[in-house]
Amino acid sequence: DMSNPVNRPKNIENEKTKEVKVRLTGEKLKNLKKDVDTLSVVRDLREINTTRIQGNATVMARASKMKKEARRAVSKITNNELQKDKLEESNEWEEEEKRRLAQYDMKDGNPQPNLLALVKFLIDKIQRLPLQICPCCKSSTLPKEPSKLKALYTPSSECKTAAQKKARKEARAFRPIRCYCGCWYHHDCLNTYMTEPPFGASCPTPGCERRVYHPDWPSDIKQLERAWASHQARLREIDDAAMFL
């Protein structure tokens, strides 16, 4: 954010994680009622699809036709609701983008170059990197041993022996990586922090308290929860297989 070629928003330094409060308006209540009605229709159609009807050939054929129509109706309703959700998310994103851009100082509608923001970014975020501490493991972000630092930035093509490849792999696991909030983490530390509960947690760095974002990991909490649940299910299956064998 500090390297943005336009003037920074005035409130960017005071951005903190706030408790999300949802205000129930008449429109939201109306949408909730519509969602409940839609789920009720889908439930009734699925009951038709799973009902077993016995009788003569004419009754069986009519029942089979009703089941096909029920499946098509469920598929149509599901697709329509997905399209509505995508459109709503797109509109919300556009509104949020407009509010974000409104905070910048743009003269005549064009971004204004700001060298001061770039210099501050280089001094505060890059020059001070050797002094940064990983918020998770509380150790230095950059390795202090010259050999590990060299292995960290050695190209894979230059690693000829198994020992060199192993040293590079271990060093790369603790390579420094910067989040959206501006704090530096070790890669593996950040991976654990992002992919294990509690999801959507704020940065543990004192004075930061912003939510941790990085493009290498999904920002959707539900997607992270599903991935975590799937991983735990695989671990349980492996444990069950081991106990069986």
Side-chain angles (χ1 to χ4, degrees):
D1 52 351
M2 296 184 67
S3 61
N4 198 305
V6 298
N7 292 339
R8 292 181 300 158
K10 298 179 181 179
N11 61 346
I12 194 168
E13 298 295 340
N14 299 323
E15 183 184 349
K16 303 289 184 181
T17 301
K18 297 181 180 179
E19 181 181 358
V20 179
K21 295 182 180 180
V22 179
R23 183 179 179 182
L24 289 178
T25 61
E27 183 179 358
K28 290 184 178 180
L29 290 174
K30 183 178 178 180
N31 291 335
L32 287 174
K33 183 178 182 301
K34 184 178 179 180
D35 291 341
V36 172
D37 294 340
T38 302
L39 291 174
S40 298
V41 173
V42 172
R43 179 198 60 197
D44 295 339
L45 291 173
R46 286 179 174 172
E47 287 181 356
I48 294 174
N49 184 38
T50 56
T51 302
R52 292 187 177 183
I53 301 176
Q54 295 181 353
N56 56 31
T58 303
V59 175
M60 296 289 289
R62 190 180 298 118
S64 178
K65 183 179 179 181
M66 289 175 59
K67 290 183 178 181
K68 289 182 180 179
E69 292 176 351
R71 288 194 294 269
R72 291 172 182 170
V74 170
S75 178
K76 184 177 180 180
I77 291 174
T78 303
N79 292 333
N80 290 339
E81 291 300 319
L82 287 175
Q83 293 297 329
K84 290 179 181 178
D85 290 342
K86 289 181 180 179
L87 180 60
E88 184 177 353
E89 290 179 0
S90 177
N91 293 335
E92 289 179 356
W93 182 87
E94 290 179 358
E95 291 296 328
E96 183 179 353
E97 189 70 7
K98 289 180 181 179
R99 290 194 297 268
R100 186 183 69 82
L101 292 177
Q103 298 174 352
Y104 290 98
D105 181 15
M106 296 186 181
K107 298 179 181 179
D108 301 328
N110 297 319
Q112 301 299 313
N114 191 335
L115 186 59
L116 177 61
L118 175 60
V119 173
K120 285 185 175 181
F121 172 80
L122 294 175
I123 294 175
D124 295 339
K125 306 301 180 183
I126 305 301
Q127 185 182 18
R128 298 178 183 176
L129 176 57
L131 304 177
Q132 297 297 317
I133 302 298
C134 176
C136 294
C137 64
K138 308 301 181 184
S139 61
S140 177
T141 307
L142 282 177
K144 296 182 179 180
E145 298 182 14
S147 59
K148 292 184 178 180
L149 187 61
K150 180 181 178 181
L152 178 63
Y153 295 103
T154 301
S156 58
S157 58
E158 296 183 7
C159 298
K160 305 300 182 181
T161 65
Q164 291 177 339
K165 294 180 180 179
K166 182 180 179 181
R168 182 181 183 275
K169 183 178 180 181
E170 293 177 351
R172 293 286 294 174
F174 290 93
R175 65 185 181 274
I177 186 168
R178 182 175 178 266
C179 296
Y180 173 79
C181 64
C183 299
W184 291 88
Y185 291 74
H186 293 131
H187 180 272
D188 279 16
C189 294
L190 182 59
N191 181 67
T192 302
Y193 194 77
M194 293 288 291
T195 58
E196 294 184 1
F199 302 105
S202 58
C203 180
T205 302
C208 183
E209 299 180 1
R210 298 180 184 179
R211 183 182 166 184
V212 179
Y213 285 105
H214 195 276
D216 289 352
W217 288 270
S219 59
D220 186 4
I221 295 179
K222 292 184 178 179
Q223 185 176 352
L224 292 170
E225 290 175 346
R226 289 194 295 268
W228 166 258
S230 177
H231 178 66
Q232 294 301 309
R234 288 197 298 270
L235 292 179
R236 287 193 295 269
E237 290 177 357
I238 293 173
D239 291 340
D240 293 342
M243 292 178 62
F244 178 77
L245 296 176

